[in-house]
Amino acid sequence: LISDETCDTSNELVLSALPMVNDSKNQLIVMASTFHKIFGIFQETWDNAEERGYHRIQWDIFDVCHTYSADIWDQPEVKDIPGIEKLKAYAKGRTGDPEGWIPIENVIQAWREKPTQEWFEVEYLGARPSSAGLVLRPEDVDHAVFDDEVTNKYRYVTGAEVVIGIDWGFSSMTAVTEIMRYLNQEVVLLDNKNYHQTVSEDIIKYVVEKVRQKNIRFIYADSAGKFENAALQNALIKEKLACKVIEVVFSKEKTEMVGNLRAHFEQHKFKMPKKLKDAYWQYKRYRYQEGTDKPLKEDDHIPDSTMCALQHFKLTRMTRAIVVQKTANSNPNEVKKLATPITADLPQKVF
């Protein structure tokens, strides 16, 4: 079984394909990929290769270059290229291989045209993407995971408050998440269902049934799906289900929503079962556009649907206690406030 560009293949598809070689007496599974995604089944297999019975093989562009002269870096048309000394350092003194097939000139041109240095390192040197710029810290995502086969602590209890979040994906993925209120401001991701290029009628049918099963009162849905949201609300009314579809306008609310998502993970208020692998990997991959505070529109459907649902569970603002002291000659029941910054109460003001 050969899986090429495994990082760009859905984890679900790869996991479904692996059993195909189970009946082989000499089974061989080959996963080949550039590290386009920082987390996923390729990363997990690579990091645990020996444990899972795999053998790692890695090379970069200089390993497959055709033979070239060592003084290529001193040629007039090369030596003045911005950052060329960095590319030379990547070569590590190598001068190609007689059986190589990539002309060094093509590598130099790719260096000149690179959008970013990290892009070149990933595409041509087999490096992993940097974890810098991730919206959620990987350790916070790991902390959120519980094994639902070992503990039933976070199981659904009849009558618990549950809401649904929907991120409509018209030509890609539509993500539906169910989130339950738990103790002490904790929330639990009960389930995540993802659809790929599926007609809205099928998705709406699924959501309506979930509303019926758990007596869900609120659905927070991406406002980009105007017609889908209207159809969903009509379907709920038709079934006489008292559930309201609330539209979430990402263009206006995204910054606050990202902050609320991060707060839930950083304060360890978000819990999710180990079995929801797609959600786990998308939370870990969710990252900002380079040089901005805006999340990248890639691997974002499950985080987006989660943020929609979390609109119902906004964490309360953490406030510091005001330090006070008793005065020497005052009534012992009276206290005096110490000096505080004049801006201390501004976050609570409405302008």
Side-chain angles (χ1 to χ4, degrees), residues 51-91:
E51 178 184 335
R52 299 186 180 187
Y54 286 81
H55 176 68
R56 295 190 192 93
I57 302 174
Q58 182 177 16
W59 62 89
D60 65 27
I61 194 68
F62 293 101
D63 290 321
V64 294
C65 273
H66 189 64
T67 306
Y68 58 89
S69 173
D71 66 358
I72 184 71
W73 312 110
D74 300 319
Q75 298 302 312
E77 65 275 17
V78 174
K79 66 179 183 178
D80 293 330
I81 295 174
I84 197 64
E85 67 282 352
K86 186 72 173 178
L87 183 62
K88 179 181 178 181
Y90 287 143

Side-chain angles (χ1 to χ4, degrees), residues 331-348:
N331 185 314
N333 294 321
E334 292 181 355
V335 294
K336 178 181 180 181
K337 291 184 180 180
L338 292 179
T340 57
I342 61 172
T343 58
D345 295 327
L346 286 182
Q348 283 71 45

Side-chain angles (χ1 to χ4, degrees), residues 102-132:
I102 306 293
I104 187 62
E105 293 79 8
N106 292 4
V107 179
I108 293 172
Q109 183 61 28
W111 176 259
R112 299 176 73 172
E113 296 176 348
K114 67 186 184 306
T116 66
Q117 183 171 314
E118 181 177 294
W119 175 89
F120 185 90
E121 291 173 347
V122 170
E123 293 291 336
Y124 286 84
L125 302 177
R128 296 194 192 198
S130 168
S131 61

